[in-house]
Amino acid sequence: FADVEELKPHRLHEHCEEAADEDGHRWCSRSIKKRLEDGSDIELNWRMHINPDRILSLDTEAEHGVKITRCAPDELDLFVPHTHLGHLEAGKFIVGSHFVHNCPHIPESAMYHKIVQVQRKRTSDGGVGKMFHYQLATEAVPHMGYTAKHVNFYFNYMPVEAREDDFWPKRRSYLDLPREQRQQQRRLFNFPGFVQPNAGDFHTQGQTSADMQRTNGIVSFNPDQLSNFGWNWNFFLNETKAPRFVIDQPDTHGTFILENPYVKAHAGCFLNFTSRFEGFMHAPHIIWQAGLNGKGIMQGRLRGALNSTRSMEMEASAYKIPSTVLENFPFLRILTKFEKTRWFSPINHAAGPMPVSFTPGFQFQMEIYHKGPFSGFLATGGSTRGTLRPVLHFDSEKGFMQTLQGELLNTTVYPPLYLIFTKAFEFG
């Protein structure tokens, strides 16, 4: 993540205490806190009770000759030098990030395999005895919690814009690109009939060691990592647009005006993971928290009038927004793209030799329907700014829980003004 050397996988022994228990487990830990060149803060703290001699990391040992040649959910083929033969015994673990393993069944995930049996061992250097080819029967385990008695790590990334007190910080992202190229990164895909704002996609800041394209769209997330995002906001010109939508169909006529709508936010992300292994007959007890920490501004005002002679008589649960409506309301068509989760790029780092990756996502669902003909006028809106800290909690014994902490400032709400004639109307 962000090309920070300290976040790459490292050999474990140098971070471990000398004292060990009867099983060879030692307490190992490391703390990293660093300010990046762009002013962002990054922090990683990890501590684990583990036997470092039971872990073979493909990331750290590739430069010493360890190479995986075939990977399946229950088998591994490796070439290893004679200096690493002690790692290839039943009960020990082989781990690797998706950058180094070639497992077709988990192309974007880290690999954690427990050795069950050595099926075949032979020299691969003509009998010299310096390099060996191993075929192993293995068991894939879900995460690092299975490799140690206790694991705890905390990762936090805070971009400079989210750390500052100013709600209107200067935009820093993509400043290494020419201005013309930067502007091209912030355009919506062309949607017919939509007054196109200059910045309709989610933007992010940070770098990653993997190659990726920077062409983003509001329905095509491909950010570098996680930092800043905005809808209908031009970060360079500090301005917005006022989309206007006109419907002129044989059975429907109407006009909708969005006055200076935008959402602008600067946020960092954090993940706190704890695992406690309670015996071979039980899965590890897992507790983790993941969330965002930042600030944002949102405002907008909607005025609309619609007259439709079309009669709608279906139940709300079966109702789908008609294609004719989606054609005339491009912003509704955009929102339907988010009914399924849209994932950002993974955030990759390591706790010692253990690869760690998590992937933020975004989802939006909406229902709107009416029964019978429709004629009416609706006006509503508001604005606010403040700090938000949404957190998702998980406990393998209790399940999920969500919390939201924050403070909203200078909040203005325009109560809905409406005059609607229809049989039934509902949205949410």
Side-chain angles (χ1 to χ4, degrees):
F1 179 81
D3 290 332
V4 178
E5 181 68 24
E6 294 87 344
L7 297 185
K8 296 179 180 178
H10 290 78
R11 283 184 166 180
L12 194 57
H13 291 78
E14 59 188 274
H15 304 297
C16 296
E17 300 175 358
E18 292 295 332
D21 63 14
E22 64 278 5
D23 298 324
H25 286 73
R26 295 191 275 170
W27 283 106
C28 310
S29 61
R30 193 182 189 192
S31 296
I32 303 162
K33 191 170 184 179
K34 189 172 183 178
R35 178 155 295 180
L36 306 182
E37 293 181 359
D38 62 3
S40 303
D41 288 335
I42 194 165
E43 183 179 359
L44 175 64
N45 303 313
W46 57 264
R47 188 169 187 261
M48 58 183 72
H49 195 205
I50 191 171
N51 185 343
D53 296 323
R54 296 181 62 198
I55 308 298
L56 177 63
S57 169
L58 301 178
D59 295 271
T60 63
E61 305 310 310
E63 60 181 287
H64 301 286
V66 176
K67 181 181 179 181
I68 185 171
T69 58
R70 188 175 69 88
C71 175
D74 56 357
E75 287 184 326
L76 291 178
D77 282 13
L78 299 98
F79 286 100
V80 295
H82 69 285
T83 54
H84 290 63
L85 299 186
H87 289 284
L88 302 181
E89 300 174 354
K92 297 188 176 182
F93 294 87
I94 300 175
V95 302
S97 68
H98 71 276
F99 297 109
V100 295
H101 73 66
N102 58 354
C103 303
H105 60 288
I106 48 171
E108 300 296 330
S109 302
M111 181 198 77
Y112 293 92
H113 275 234
K114 181 179 180 180
I115 300 176
V116 177
Q117 182 183 16
V118 177
Q119 294 181 325
R120 186 178 181 184
K121 170 188 174 183
R122 59 184 174 86
T123 60
S124 59
D125 54 7
V128 177
K130 296 292 186 181
M131 185 65 67
F132 291 83
H133 180 205
Y134 271 75
Q135 293 179 339
L136 305 173
T138 63
E139 175 189 0
V141 295
H143 49 75
M144 70 170 67
Y146 287 79
T147 66
K149 291 183 177 180
H150 178 84
V151 176
N152 175 260
F153 75 84
Y154 172 77
F155 173 83
N156 180 64
Y157 169 63
M158 179 62 69
V160 60
E161 295 98 329
R163 190 182 68 246
E164 294 175 345
D165 294 332
D166 186 8
F167 275 87
W168 302 89
K170 183 179 179 181
R171 174 71 182 178
R172 270 86 158 173
S173 300
Y174 300 119
L175 295 183
D176 56 326
L177 300 178
R179 184 175 181 83
E180 296 78 13
Q181 195 171 352
R182 283 183 267 153
Q183 293 285 10
Q184 292 175 2
Q185 305 304 322
R186 292 165 170 77
R187 294 176 182 167
L188 280 172
F189 293 125
N190 292 324
F191 292 106
F194 182 51
V195 180
Q196 177 174 304
N198 289 332
D201 53 358
F202 283 78
H203 304 304
T204 61
Q205 173 176 303
Q207 297 177 355
T208 177
S209 56
D211 294 332
M212 56 178 62
Q213 302 296 321
R214 291 178 179 267
T215 304
N216 297 336
I218 196 168
V219 294
S220 179
F221 288 117
N222 196 19
D224 283 345
Q225 293 291 350
L226 187 64
S227 162
N228 312 312
F229 56 89
W231 176 78
N232 200 33
W233 181 264
N234 188 308
F235 280 97
F236 290 96
L237 300 180
N238 281 342
E239 66 178 25
T240 184
K241 297 279 187 173
R244 180 186 182 96
F245 309 97
V246 178
I247 299 178
D248 188 9
Q249 298 293 329
D251 55 0
T252 305
H253 301 275
T255 300
F256 286 81
I257 300 176
L258 293 173
E259 298 181 349
N260 296 323
Y262 69 88
V263 176
K264 179 184 178 184
H266 308 276
C269 60
F270 63 91
L271 174 65
N272 192 347
F273 176 94
T274 300
S275 171
R276 186 177 299 277
F277 198 72
E278 300 176 344
F280 293 102
M281 300 300 295
H282 305 278
H285 181 199
I286 304 297
I287 300 175
W288 58 257
Q289 299 177 1
L292 301 178
N293 188 10
K295 59 191 176 184
I297 304 174
M298 62 181 300
Q299 76 168 37
R301 194 165 185 176
L302 169 68
R303 290 184 293 142
L306 182 68
N307 181 38
S308 174
T309 59
R310 175 181 299 173
S311 179
M312 305 296 295
E313 297 296 342
M314 63 181 62
E315 292 298 323
S317 59
Y319 183 79
K320 299 294 182 182
I321 300 177
S323 59
T324 55
V325 175
L326 294 178
E327 291 173 1
N328 291 280
F329 288 89
F331 68 95
L332 291 180
R333 185 170 71 249
I334 293 172
L335 292 178
T336 61
K337 300 292 185 180
F338 300 117
E339 289 183 346
K340 295 183 178 179
T341 305
R342 309 292 295 190
W343 297 104
F344 290 85
S345 297
I347 296 178
N348 303 294
H349 57 283
M354 308 290 188
V356 180
S357 177
F358 63 97
T359 306
F362 176 82
Q363 184 182 34
F364 179 88
Q365 293 182 332
M366 178 183 66
E367 289 185 0
I368 179 171
Y369 79 98
H370 71 88
K371 292 184 178 181
F374 182 93
S375 179
F377 170 85
L378 175 67
T380 187
S383 63
T384 188
R385 64 182 177 89
T387 58
L388 291 176
R389 196 173 190 267
V391 181
L392 179 63
H393 308 258
F394 173 77
D395 188 317
S396 58
E397 296 181 353
K398 300 178 181 179
F400 286 96
M401 181 179 69
Q402 300 178 15
T403 60
L404 175 63
Q405 296 178 336
E407 182 181 15
L408 299 181
L409 307 171
N410 297 345
T411 301
T412 301
V413 177
Y414 302 103
L417 303 174
Y418 58 91
L419 184 63
I420 294 175
F421 299 92
T422 187
K423 186 176 181 180
F425 175 77
E426 182 177 352
F427 72 95

